[in-house]
Every structure is written in C-alpha cells, then in structure tokens.
Amino acid sequence: EAQVTQNPRYLITVTGKKLTVTCSQNMNHEYMSWYRQDPGLGLRQIYYSMNVEVTDKGDVPEGYKVSRKEKRNFPLILESPSPNQTSLYFCASSLSPGSNEKLFFGSGTQLSVL
Amino acid sequence: QKEVEQDPGPLSVPEGAIVSLNCTYSNSAFQYFMWYRQYSRKGPELLMYTYSSGNKEDGRFTAQVDKSSKYISLFIRDSQPSDSATYLCAIPNTGGFKTIFGAGTRLFVKA
C-alpha cells in the first residue's frame, strides 16, 4: 500500500531533550516536506527536500533540523525542544516538486513539550 | 496580510444542505488551487484541484476559482454526516516547492 509513515504518533517530552520524528514513504517520491499544524494557523511548512541531499527552509524552520540521506526517509530533528514546539506535525511527499502535484500526508505526530 | 485566508468556522449544517467553503488569496500569480479534506486524527487528503479560473465538478463537490477577485470556493451538495471534517484550501507556489494552506474550516453535518 502506498503510504507515508510517521513515527511516533504521540510523543510527550521535556524541554531540551533531543528528539527525532521519523518519516518514510514507499512511493519513490522525490519531494518531501514537514509541516506543523496549530489551531487557527493551519499548516505551516518547516522544511522541504527536493531530492536526496537537497533540503531548504520553509516558513518556520527555527529550532528544527532535517536530513535527506535516502530518498525514502526524511527525519525531523528537534535538538533542544521548547514548549512553543508543542504541535501536530505532518510529513508529506509528492512525486516531484510541481505546482499540480498531489501531496500525500502521513497520519501525524502529536508532540507535547513540557 | 496572509497569502491565503480562510475562515476556520466551525460551520454546522443539517444533512442535505448545500455547503459553501471559501478562501481568498493575495498573489495574482497563483495558478493551481487545491482543496484538501482532513478527518479527525488523520492527515489531509487531496479532494480536488483546479487550474486557473473556472469550475470543476466531481460528484457532489464543485471547486470554483475567480482569479479576478482572488477568491476560491468549494461547494458540497446534499451534504452527508460523512462530510464532517476540516477542509483546507491550498495553493502551491510557482515551482511547487511550497504549498500554502489556509487555516482550514471545520464542518459538521448533523444527521
């Protein structure tokens, strides 16, 4: 089944404790992206990747890191999480970066930073 | 001014009603316009997309774009309780490396 898989689904952590949210897609997609979703603000892009080893900042990259060493994986790293990073996170992918390309989303990771 | 504005609702309607969901945008260069549907505790899924101005129909759903007003709409006919979800308008930028989402409108269809 074609899908984007995120783990974990739920995560509670404390301020400053490094964490990684994994994202994997099995559709051989070139483009991958991370979003955070907050009430009233919608989905905001954190980082995106056009292909392996090619990543760039989105609208809200502060406090986050990403890497794209393999085509299928695009982990999101929070080196020192803070409470304002409490949010619902989504990984998404598309076949290629194009204006008419459909985004496929994972099921989300609900992160709480205490 | 946000690039894409959408009223977050919530919007509550009786079963069978016609629903109108709307967004406005600021950049006249945008060409593709999408609507995603997001059920509770799930990721968004593409519902419809249109190119440039005009209407596009798919079953009970119609997407409409008015580029002169920078206004996009999604109409749902004969709404069903299963349509209860959050609807997000989405506009990819030129090149498609960034998709700008509206805040999403929560829709409740009461049986």
Side-chain angles (χ1 to χ4, degrees), chain A residues 9-10 31 33 35 37 40-43 45 48 50 59 88 90 97-108, chain B residues 2 8 32 34 36 38 41-46 49 86 88 92-104:
Chain A
R9 287 294 306 271
Y10 302 93
Y31 177 87
S33 183
Y35 290 86
Q37 186 173 36
L41 297 177
L43 286 159
Q45 190 180 47
Y48 66 92
M50 307 280 263
D59 293 320
L88 179 58
F90 287 101
S99 296
N100 61 340
E101 288 291 340
K102 169 184 174 180
L103 283 170
F104 291 79
F105 283 85
S107 295
Chain B
K2 286 185 180 179
Y32 287 89
M34 299 177 170
Y36 283 79
Q38 183 179 18
R41 291 185 293 279
K42 297 284 190 181
E45 290 181 311
L46 181 67
Y49 84 86
T86 297
L88 302 110
N93 70 342
T94 305
F97 56 86
K98 173 180 169 179
T99 296
I100 306 156
F101 286 86

Side-chain angles (χ1 to χ4, degrees), chain A residues 4 23 31-35 74 90-94 103-106:
Chain A
V4 178
C23 173
Y31 177 87
M32 297 185 76
S33 183
W34 276 103
Y35 290 86
F74 190 45
F90 287 101
C91 179
S93 72
S94 67
L103 283 170
F104 291 79
F105 283 85

